[in-house]
Amino acid sequence: MSERRARRTAPTSHDVARLAGVSQSTVSYVMSGKRSISAETRERVMAAIEQLTYQPNAGARALRGRTTHVIALMVRLGERADPRDTVPYIDTIVEAARERDYDVVLITTDEGPDGLKRMAGRQNCDAFILMDVAARDERIATAAALDLPVVLIGTPADRAGLDAVDYDAVAAAEALVDELADTGHTHAVVLGETGGVVPGEYWFLSAFHDACRDRAAARGLAFDAVHPDRPGWAGVDAAAPRLLAHRGERLGLIARTPQAAEWLLQLTRLHGLRPGADVSVVGVCSDAAAAAFDPPVTNVSAQARDVSRKAVDLLFERLGGSETEPGLHLIAPGELHRRATTAVFS
Amino acid sequence: MSERRARRTAPTSHDVARLAGVSQSTVSYVMSGKRSISAETRERVMAAIEQLTYQPNAGARALRGRTTHVIALMVRLGERADPRDTVPYIDTIVEAARERDYDVVLITTDEGPDGLKRMAGRQNCDAFILMDVAARDERIATAAALDLPVVLIGTPADRAGLDAVDYDAVAAAEALVDELADTGHTHAVVLGETGGVVPGEYWFLSAFHDACRDRAAARGLAFDAVHPDRPGWAGVDAAAPRLLAHRGERLGLIARTPQAAEWLLQLTRLHGLRPGADVSVVGVCSDAAAAAFDPPVTNVSAQARDVSRKAVDLLFERLGGSETEPGLHLIAPGELHRRATTAVFS
DNA sequence: GTGAAAGCGCTAACAT
DNA sequence: ATGTTAGCGCTTTCAC
């Protein structure tokens, strides 16, 4: 007795209308609130919707209303990206989109410009957010020609008239160097990028390092930027002589990422230095991460959530028809929090 | 002179048909290949498609064909999850879906069962993949009632008749303990979960630890599982006395994650022990990550990509109408790779 | 080998 | 305050 379960077909607004004894359009208007409905009718319709657990068909809505309620998020997910640097952005973008009843389609940077053309051409989405924007990024010209709202996260050399949001890496660098200067340090060393990162590929890298250098000069600190030639801890370990060259003096170490901070703590520990006493470690990371380090690390906050929120806000302004001049929106780091790893030299 | 750019409306199959001098249905059939078309007609249609850069409207397709070409991926993205453990899965799922011309909508576990109902009810997707499946997971009953294909990644107490794919944590644990036993170790200690992870919340945690314990007993090794009571490095550091209690003997340390391996290396280093000579460190992580450690860590591979691929394969089998009995599919760890951190005791 | 036409489920303009 | 109807762009009969 092969019992084949009949595939129940989903209820339509027509079914709701019949059950409520009204016309299909009335159901639509009840849902949208775009015209006044007598309390009694509304009630009956709502009851029918409830009873059938009716939900409007997204395809039909998209077809008719030419709006998909989907935003496409293009991000790098492969080995080349550190997930800890991207997931907080993604999480916040999904959250902010959902607050407006939008869903997020995830596509990878590897798809390149064709991925954007596909999503836009098939009308799979209403708008784009592009992450991991490089200084020269082949996706940007395509995105700009798309006739759909686009927001970049990152700072390209040429925005091509698009909105962009980025973390203010310069302000972050300056705040960190100032902390060292204000507490009597004489030497600042920033741990640079490990492995084969092309210098100038991303604005935030060069901007951060340049700002460190410039601010150190302005505040009268000796400065070095150490870029390990091997990736991972091994590279940091190998660079120890240069990183700690001035360990006898008033030395402050600067980390651009939580991972870098972790390595610097490890390095100082291994060389018998006490962070906060013999040497300082300061860096960019979330307040939560900074407080969780052992010892807690003096930090300026990385603001991934603020950057993402701003990006989504901008996107929905555009979707709402805003025609204001597109621009680059820099998100300031939070206040610097002095924690245990700042050594105060008198 | 306010120049308002006319919003070009996207070309339709009708436009293509007109330009090629054929009927709309012919355009459709050229694209789908569902009936034979004369070479000459096909050529003209293709040329028109090219010229207009026509792409079919996804909403219309979904409406007519009742298939969205979208799979929904529900995953935990917030602070409670380590992005390094989830992103490789996500990446592979997106990749595998794209190979079949499907897109992936990302929704968060926080949306819970209602998120599934919404996606299914609105017909926003054709199928689901659920990640971070807990032993008792409120999403599963809802998912099972959905009448759409669902694949779980993880092992719940009750699959409710759904397909599930998981990493074979038991086999991994056994391979690691065997490596220690085979190389003459007398003591095995596994670094457990840090912070407030509820024991039994996830199958893979208890399964891994139980399997370590059982295999150690079977192979005659003294065994301990150390669960730090603080999260992060601080917890590991505080647990050092117990982790290294048997440092004088033939001790092997077991890490379930790359992060754990990193901490164990750091711990041994800090206590003047040489991994691979005085003590062993073995763990579960990708071969790439294992080789990148300093020194390279003996590992069994974590197989995130294989798990994800299997999940997507299963999903498309179901979408293709397969009615085979759903089951739990365990993905075996790769071969154990002995690297520098195995100490061989004679 | 090709065309004409119906209809998927919805919204909004046009009725009353 | 509500009903009727056209039509979004596509796929797939049905007809030749």
Side-chain angles (χ1 to χ4, degrees):
Chain A
M1 218 89 1
S2 96
E3 170 161 15
R4 172 179 292 271
R5 169 125 54 104
R7 178 169 280 271
R8 236 178 349 140
T9 162
T12 71
S13 64
H14 187 77
D15 300 328
V16 174
R18 256 203 337 232
L19 181 58
V22 298
S23 80
Q24 199 190 16
S25 63
T26 300
V27 174
S28 177
Y29 283 119
V30 165
M31 299 209 67
S32 71
K34 284 192 182 168
R35 78 180 182 192
S36 48
I37 304 281
S38 77
E40 197 235 345
T41 322
R42 193 197 343 277
E43 212 120 312
R44 280 215 317 287
V45 170
M46 293 301 249
I49 288 175
E50 192 87 350
Q51 187 181 330
L52 300 176
T53 63
Y54 165 74
Q55 299 195 247
N57 178 293
R61 274 198 159 169
L63 179 56
R64 173 62 227 222
R66 42 227 324 97
T67 160
T68 62
H69 273 232
V70 166
I71 75 180
L73 173 60
M74 191 180 244
V75 60
R76 165 151 278 128
L77 290 178
E79 320 272 295
R80 285 186 49 205
D82 186 336
R84 290 169 295 184
D85 296 342
T86 57
V87 165
Y89 290 92
I90 299 172
D91 184 31
T92 307
I93 288 166
V94 171
E95 182 181 304
R98 288 297 312 129
E99 283 166 14
R100 284 131 158 143
D101 202 21
Y102 268 65
D103 277 298
V104 173
V105 166
L106 196 67
I107 55 183
T108 65
T109 302
D110 298 334
E111 282 204 58
D114 287 349
L116 304 177
K117 285 185 191 150
R118 175 175 61 83
M119 293 296 293
R122 296 184 180 180
Q123 286 152 102
N124 261 330
C125 66
D126 297 340
F128 289 92
I129 295 179
L130 269 46
M131 284 180 52
D132 308 292
V133 171
R136 319 210 160 267
D137 197 311
E138 55 168 4
R139 298 172 297 169
I140 292 176
T142 303
L146 236 42
D147 195 42
L148 285 182
V150 179
V151 173
L152 311 174
I153 294 185
T155 306
D158 177 6
R159 287 204 329 276
L162 297 174
D163 285 303
V165 186
D166 207 347
Y167 178 63
D168 192 342
V170 170
E174 293 176 349
L176 294 173
V177 173
D178 282 346
E179 165 75 351
L180 297 178
D182 293 344
T183 49
H185 291 72
T186 55
H187 289 74
V189 175
V190 61
L191 174 57
E193 311 314 315
T194 63
V197 177
V198 180
E201 186 174 0
Y202 291 100
W203 172 81
F204 61 89
L205 295 182
S206 39
F208 185 80
H209 292 138
D210 292 353
C212 282
R213 174 177 29 70
D214 294 349
R215 193 64 152 206
R219 298 294 306 263
L221 276 76
F223 176 77
D224 195 11
V226 178
H227 301 270
D229 48 12
R230 272 186 291 164
W233 163 253
V236 178
D237 194 27
R242 192 163 153 202
L243 283 164
L244 300 177
H246 297 278
R247 53 181 291 178
E249 313 183 47
R250 296 168 174 190
L251 172 63
L253 301 171
I254 302 175
R256 199 188 54 77
T257 65
Q259 175 68 81
E262 172 101 45
W263 282 332
L264 290 177
L265 285 183
Q266 196 171 325
L267 187 78
T268 54
R269 213 178 274 139
L270 205 58
H271 287 260
L273 298 170
R274 294 160 304 158
D278 311 314
V279 65
S280 289
V281 175
V282 299
V284 181
C285 67
S286 74
D287 291 330
F293 279 119
D294 178 37
V297 170
T298 297
N299 76 307
V300 288
S301 177
Q303 311 291 64
R305 307 198 91 80
D306 289 356
V307 169
S308 294
R309 289 234 159 243
K310 180 71 185 175
V312 175
D313 287 349
L314 275 170
L315 205 62
F316 279 94
E317 277 175 31
R318 295 294 174 203
L319 282 170
S322 161
E323 298 274 359
T324 57
E325 184 68 17
L328 168 64
H329 301 256
L330 286 178
I331 305 298
E335 283 279 289
L336 180 136
H337 288 279
R338 181 175 300 173
R339 309 184 200 268
T341 57
T342 294
V344 182
F345 299 108
S346 51
Chain B
M1 217 95 353
S2 94
E3 171 161 15
R4 173 179 291 271
R5 170 125 55 102
R7 178 170 280 271
R8 238 178 346 142
T9 162
T12 71
S13 63
H14 188 75
D15 299 329
V16 174
R18 256 205 333 233
L19 181 58
V22 297
S23 79
Q24 198 190 18
S25 63
T26 300
V27 174
S28 177
Y29 282 119
V30 165
M31 300 208 68
S32 70
K34 285 192 184 167
R35 79 179 180 193
S36 49
I37 304 281
S38 77
E40 198 233 345
T41 313
R42 190 189 355 268
E43 211 121 312
R44 281 216 316 285
V45 170
M46 293 301 249
I49 287 175
E50 191 88 349
Q51 187 180 333
L52 301 175
T53 64
Y54 165 74
Q55 299 196 247
N57 178 292
R61 274 197 158 169
L63 179 55
R64 174 62 225 225
R66 39 214 342 87
T67 161
T68 62
H69 273 233
V70 165
I71 75 181
L73 172 60
M74 190 179 244
V75 59
R76 165 150 279 129
L77 290 178
E79 321 273 295
R80 283 186 50 205
D82 186 336
R84 290 170 294 184
D85 297 342
T86 57
V87 165
Y89 291 91
I90 299 172
D91 185 31
T92 307
I93 288 166
V94 171
E95 184 180 302
R98 288 297 311 130
E99 282 166 14
R100 284 133 159 144
D101 202 22
Y102 268 66
D103 277 298
V104 173
V105 166
L106 196 68
I107 55 183
T108 64
T109 301
D110 298 335
E111 283 204 56
D114 287 349
L116 303 177
K117 285 185 193 152
R118 175 176 60 84
M119 293 296 292
R122 296 184 181 180
Q123 286 154 103
N124 261 329
C125 65
D126 297 339
F128 289 91
I129 295 180
L130 269 46
M131 285 179 53
D132 308 293
V133 171
R136 317 209 162 269
D137 197 311
E138 54 168 5
R139 297 171 298 169
I140 291 178
T142 304
L146 235 42
D147 193 40
L148 284 182
V150 179
V151 173
L152 311 174
I153 294 184
T155 304
D158 177 7
R159 287 203 331 275
L162 297 174
D163 285 303
V165 185
D166 207 347
Y167 178 64
D168 192 342
V170 169
E174 293 177 349
L176 293 173
V177 172
D178 282 345
E179 164 75 353
L180 296 178
D182 292 344
T183 50
H185 291 72
T186 56
H187 289 73
V189 176
V190 61
L191 175 56
E193 311 313 315
T194 62
V197 177
V198 181
E201 186 173 1
Y202 292 100
W203 172 82
F204 61 90
L205 295 183
S206 38
F208 185 82
H209 292 137
D210 292 353
C212 282
R213 175 179 26 72
D214 294 349
R215 193 65 153 204
R219 298 294 307 261
L221 275 75
F223 176 78
D224 194 12
V226 177
H227 301 270
D229 49 12
R230 271 186 291 163
W233 163 252
V236 178
D237 194 28
R242 192 162 153 203
L243 283 164
L244 300 177
H246 299 278
R247 52 181 292 176
E249 314 183 46
R250 295 168 174 191
L251 173 64
L253 301 171
I254 302 175
R256 199 188 53 78
T257 65
Q259 175 68 82
E262 171 101 44
W263 282 331
L264 290 177
L265 285 183
Q266 195 171 329
L267 188 77
T268 53
R269 212 178 276 139
L270 205 58
H271 288 260
L273 298 170
R274 294 159 304 158
D278 310 315
V279 66
S280 290
V281 175
V282 300
V284 181
C285 66
S286 74
D287 290 330
F293 279 120
D294 177 36
V297 170
T298 296
N299 76 306
V300 288
S301 177
Q303 311 292 63
R305 309 198 90 80
D306 290 355
V307 170
S308 295
R309 288 234 159 241
K310 181 70 185 176
V312 174
D313 288 348
L314 275 171
L315 206 62
F316 279 95
E317 277 175 33
R318 295 294 174 202
L319 282 170
S322 160
E323 298 273 359
T324 58
E325 185 68 17
L328 168 63
H329 303 255
L330 286 178
I331 304 298
E335 281 280 290
L336 180 135
H337 288 279
R338 183 176 298 173
R339 308 182 201 270
T341 57
T342 293
V344 182
F345 299 108
S346 49

